[in-house]
Amino acid sequence: EREYLEQAVQSCLDQNVEDSEIIIADDGSDDGSIELIKELAQRHPKKIRYIIHDRSDVVPGKIIPPIRVSNGIKRALAIAKGRYCQMLSGDDFFYPGSFTADAVKFLDENPEYSAYVGGHAIYYPDRPGSAYWAFYPKSLFWTGDYVHISAFVYRRELFEKGGFLPRF
């Protein structure tokens, strides 16, 4: 995901949420992401922290990539400091706008809600005109249908109480 990582990080920075932090969790790939992650953290030392996956367990057949990704999410959530969490894969990006700020405002004003869900666009650069929006009503998530993880902003306390983390 190295070729998309800088755009992903910039889309997080562009969300314009006060006191936000970006935690980049390397998943153990060998695509040169580590060097770029460190460079991005140097450019934005007050915003970006990172976790580098231990390469000793990146043995073919021993730990599969989805488990490494899940472990990266868990490790990032364990060090997150904010009230809210939002996740983004390295090959995805947030559309310019106020989605994250809107979510934070909504959750601040509605303490009875645990998460804010929006929509996401899917775009394939090699297929012109392929972008489309997918919006999800609340009921879709709870029925078990697929919703991309970046469509949510969660209260961090969900992870602290242990109910969510085992599902990753």
Side-chain angles (χ1 to χ4, degrees):
E1 298 177 345
R2 185 192 194 291
E3 79 177 274
Y4 305 105
L5 186 58
E6 192 160 2
Q7 181 181 11
V9 170
Q10 187 60 50
S11 77
C12 294
L13 292 166
D14 291 344
Q15 288 300 302
N16 199 23
V17 176
E18 289 183 35
D19 301 326
S20 64
E21 65 180 335
I22 297 170
I23 302 170
I24 304 173
D26 157 64
D27 67 1
S29 65
D30 61 359
D31 64 358
S33 295
I34 293 173
E35 293 77 19
L36 179 56
I37 291 168
K38 289 178 179 178
E39 179 186 321
L40 292 167
Q42 285 178 341
R43 278 193 243 159
H44 306 279
K46 294 182 180 179
K47 281 279 195 188
I48 297 176
R49 294 187 292 151
Y50 60 88
I51 300 166
I52 301 299
H53 189 86
D54 179 5
R55 294 309 198 257
S56 68
D57 66 357
V58 182
V59 177
K62 182 178 177 192
I63 294 186
I64 58 173
I67 293 173
R68 292 194 321 248
V69 170
S70 295
N71 287 341
I73 291 170
K74 290 176 187 179
R75 290 176 65 200
L77 289 170
I79 66 169
K81 297 177 182 173
R83 295 174 313 195
Y84 305 112
C85 296
Q86 187 173 21
M87 290 161 241
L88 185 67
S89 298
D91 60 350
D92 295 329
F93 63 92
F94 293 121
Y95 188 79
S98 61
F99 173 73
T100 305
D102 292 347
V104 167
K105 182 178 186 297
F106 176 85
L107 291 168
D108 279 347
E109 293 172 356
N110 297 278
E112 69 275 17
Y113 286 86
S114 58
Y116 180 97
V117 63
H120 72 275
I122 298 174
Y123 170 72
Y124 300 97
D126 57 336
R127 295 187 227 161
S130 64
Y132 66 89
W133 279 96
F135 287 96
Y136 303 107
K138 285 191 298 189
S139 60
L140 212 103
F141 175 68
W142 303 116
T143 61
D145 292 328
Y146 176 78
V147 178
H148 198 277
I149 196 167
S150 63
F152 289 87
V153 176
Y154 306 91
R155 291 188 187 281
R156 191 181 69 177
E157 66 190 42
L158 291 175
F159 303 102
E160 292 171 345
K161 293 179 180 177
F164 239 44
L165 275 179
R167 297 179 67 185
F168 280 104

